[in-house]
Amino acid sequence: MSHAIHDFTAKLRQPSVWPGVLDYVKWRRGVEAARAAGHPAPDAPPIAPVSINLDLTTACNYRCDHCIDWDILNTANKHDEEKLKSALAVMRDRGLKSVILIGGGEPTVYPGFSPMVRYIKSLGLQVSVVSNGSGNKKILEIADVLDERDWVRLSLDSGTNDTFVRMHKPVDKKLTLESICEWVPQVKAKNPRFKFGFSFIITWKGAERHDEDGSDVKIVENLHEIVQATRLAKDHKFDYISLKPFLVRSETGSEVMDPEKAEAHLATIVQRIRASIDEAKKHATETFKVLESTNLRMLEKGNWRDFTNQPKTCHMQAFRQVLTPTGLYNCPAYRGVDRARIAGKEAYADASAGDATNKNLAGILDRFDAHHECAAVTCLYNDVNWWLEGLVKGEAALDADTSGEERLDYFL
Ligand code: SF4
């Protein structure tokens, strides 16, 4: 299942997405040809990303040590709700197909969370929510509007309440891991059609997060609770648990894997993770899956550095963007990072703002040297970026026959 989720090339080759890919590739071929001939580059076509990460708010009611967005949380920046709704409609008309409410703040803390989810669904878009679990009452409120292509995932990262509280430090002291999980059967009873996941970021002794002031914050270890968390998830009717390794923000602002920051030798940590996952997998059934992230398999195989060799141009900047209350960014790995900013938060608020954003996209495609900038990032989009690079640089005729199988999965 996680292989298919991360097969971004197959997602872009779907017949419903492929015409937008063709527009992009033809435009970029035109840019290269014009430059080679010494002519001005053609303007970008009116495009929008296929998928966005939408940060509704920067507010968060947890204080997680392992949070990669620590430096951009709880600021005064806000969306103008009417402009945000207009932007979603403009993007939908230009090719947007999915919205992931995630990161940079807790989505359910946004006061208009439930009406916004209903609005996104009314536009015919797929929607997913990544939440810290504190707002499950609102998940119950929106459950009826979600369908089999949508999903909700809770970032819980623990098998005991003690570890949950030490890792996440919820502001509401009455909140417990059990009380969060107890909402899930209620939500499933209301609407069993969409998938409900338990996310577990695996941390180990010695892992650290670099703080803005230059200090290193020690991360609470949870590796020993993988099996307990799996049992908890299964008992509370989650559809799956997904297991992924801890990432840190590098000094250049990107999200990277830094397994060398571990007190035990990396091989020992990987062995401990493998033993726990093998044990956890014994609890898997037809209706409850134990999923390992692509990053985790890379860590285990020791080939994660292969995914750090990016082409100079990151083409995925055109297909998946991050819209936040501080602006529009080129990649989830660079939320809040100035040089990765494509436009302000009103980037697509109307058609002319969309046109201006397309011009800025042309600028960042030239300016942002992913080969250099992302040289430390284990990029999940590495394969799809090289495939797009091949299409842009290739001579082959582009025709509709090269589209692939329709999966109706638009999350990038
Ligand atoms: S190369 Fe990967 S990490 Fe870098 S901007 Fe593109 S998608 Fe993000």
Side-chain angles (χ1 to χ4, degrees):
M1 181 174 166
S2 63
H3 283 294
I5 290 169
H6 290 137
D7 191 346
F8 301 113
T9 304
K11 291 188 188 189
L12 289 186
R13 292 185 69 233
Q14 296 177 98
S16 53
V17 179
W18 182 244
V21 178
L22 280 182
D23 284 349
Y24 172 81
V25 172
K26 285 175 185 164
W27 168 47
R28 297 314 294 173
R29 283 184 173 189
V31 168
E32 302 236 335
R35 285 200 178 131
H39 298 145
D43 286 341
I47 50 174
V50 174
S51 183
I52 57 165
N53 279 205
L54 174 58
D55 298 358
L56 288 174
T57 176
T58 67
C60 189
N61 50 1
Y62 286 10
R63 299 289 177 266
C64 311
D65 286 337
H66 59 285
C67 179
I68 45 152
D69 292 325
W70 184 271
D71 297 334
I72 54 172
L73 293 180
N74 299 311
T75 66
N77 301 296
K78 285 187 170 49
H79 286 291
D80 173 320
E81 193 163 289
E82 286 315 305
K83 287 187 175 157
L84 175 57
K85 286 165 97 171
S86 164
L88 288 162
V90 167
M91 282 190 272
R92 190 273 316 265
D93 293 345
R94 293 177 176 216
L96 180 71
K97 295 197 177 304
S98 74
V99 177
I100 308 176
L101 301 169
I102 183 177
E106 164 55 28
T108 62
V109 167
Y110 183 66
F113 171 82
S114 304
M116 184 58 75
V117 172
R118 289 183 184 279
Y119 175 73
I120 294 169
K121 288 306 295 175
S122 76
L123 292 175
L125 301 171
Q126 292 181 348
V127 68
S128 60
V129 184
V130 179
S131 165
N132 65 20
S134 64
N136 279 347
K137 188 167 180 285
K138 291 190 180 176
I139 302 295
L140 185 63
E141 273 171 26
I142 55 139
D144 62 295
V145 84
L146 302 181
D147 60 44
E148 45 283 315
R149 303 280 165 196
D150 305 320
W151 49 265
V152 174
R153 195 171 71 218
L154 304 185
S155 307
L156 300 175
D157 314 307
S158 45
T160 64
N161 189 52
D162 178 58
T163 299
F164 170 74
V165 171
R166 283 193 301 123
M167 284 186 88
H168 298 275
K169 303 182 180 64
V171 172
D172 175 359
K173 303 283 179 240
K174 292 194 293 296
L175 199 68
T176 65
L177 181 60
E178 277 280 331
S179 68
I180 290 171
C181 292
E182 278 164 7
W183 282 95
V184 180
Q186 289 185 63
V187 175
K188 297 295 280 183
K190 187 168 177 185
N191 181 359
R193 288 195 306 278
F194 65 93
K195 294 277 182 274
F196 212 127
F198 184 122
S199 165
F200 191 110
I201 291 177
I202 306 165
T203 56
W204 45 81
K205 203 164 173 219
E208 290 174 340
R209 170 174 59 75
H210 316 291
D211 222 344
E212 225 177 12
D213 64 7
S215 60
D216 286 332
V217 178
K218 292 269 180 223
I219 305 299
V220 175
E221 183 178 40
N222 65 4
L223 202 167
H224 55 290
E225 292 190 5
I226 290 175
V227 178
Q228 235 167 327
T230 303
R231 278 200 298 263
L232 188 72
K234 187 178 178 183
D235 290 348
H236 287 87
K237 301 195 172 353
F238 283 84
D239 294 291
Y240 65 89
I241 183 168
S242 73
L243 302 157
K244 48 197 124 169
F246 171 63
L247 300 174
V248 291
R249 282 260 180 220
S250 72
E251 273 148 27
T252 59
S254 55
E255 225 179 78
V256 301
M257 230 156 140
D258 195 4
E260 276 140 20
K261 274 269 165 67
E263 281 178 14
H265 189 265
L266 175 62
T268 314
I269 290 172
V270 170
Q271 271 169 20
R272 284 177 60 206
I273 294 176
R274 172 47 50 206
S276 289
I277 292 180
D278 286 348
E279 189 59 32
K281 281 195 162 167
K282 292 180 186 161
H283 297 277
T285 63
E286 265 306 296
T287 53
F288 177 76
K289 310 267 182 250
V290 178
L291 306 176
E292 302 172 39
S293 76
T294 307
N295 273 345
L296 190 56
R297 283 194 299 271
M298 291 174 194
L299 184 62
E300 194 166 29
K301 280 196 200 155
N303 68 342
W304 57 278
R305 281 199 177 82
D306 298 351
F307 296 79
T308 59
N309 176 30
Q310 333 296 350
K312 179 173 179 297
T313 304
C314 170
H315 302 284
M316 286 305 287
Q317 295 175 105
F319 297 102
R320 182 242 37 241
Q321 295 166 5
V322 182
L323 183 58
T324 81
T326 61
L328 179 74
Y329 296 89
N330 68 353
C331 175
Y334 292 100
R335 244 187 193 88
V337 176
D338 277 347
R339 65 188 186 290
R341 196 166 181 268
I342 301 173
K345 64 186 174 188
E346 291 165 10
Y348 295 97
D350 55 35
S352 70
D355 292 345
T357 297
N358 284 168
K359 280 201 172 60
N360 292 353
L361 172 66
I364 202 165
L365 283 163
D366 288 340
R367 180 179 81 241
F368 189 90
D369 179 350
H371 186 71
H372 169 74
E373 292 280 357
C374 313
V377 183
T378 312
C379 176
L380 293 179
Y381 304 97
N382 182 274
D383 285 354
V384 66
N385 256 332
W386 280 110
W387 171 70
L388 287 162
E389 175 77 359
L391 289 181
V392 169
K393 292 274 157 52
E395 304 280 306
L398 293 166
D399 56 50
D401 290 345
T402 39
S403 69
E405 171 205 348
E406 186 63 59
R407 303 170 168 215
L408 301 174
D409 180 353
Y410 306 126
F411 293 111
L412 298 175

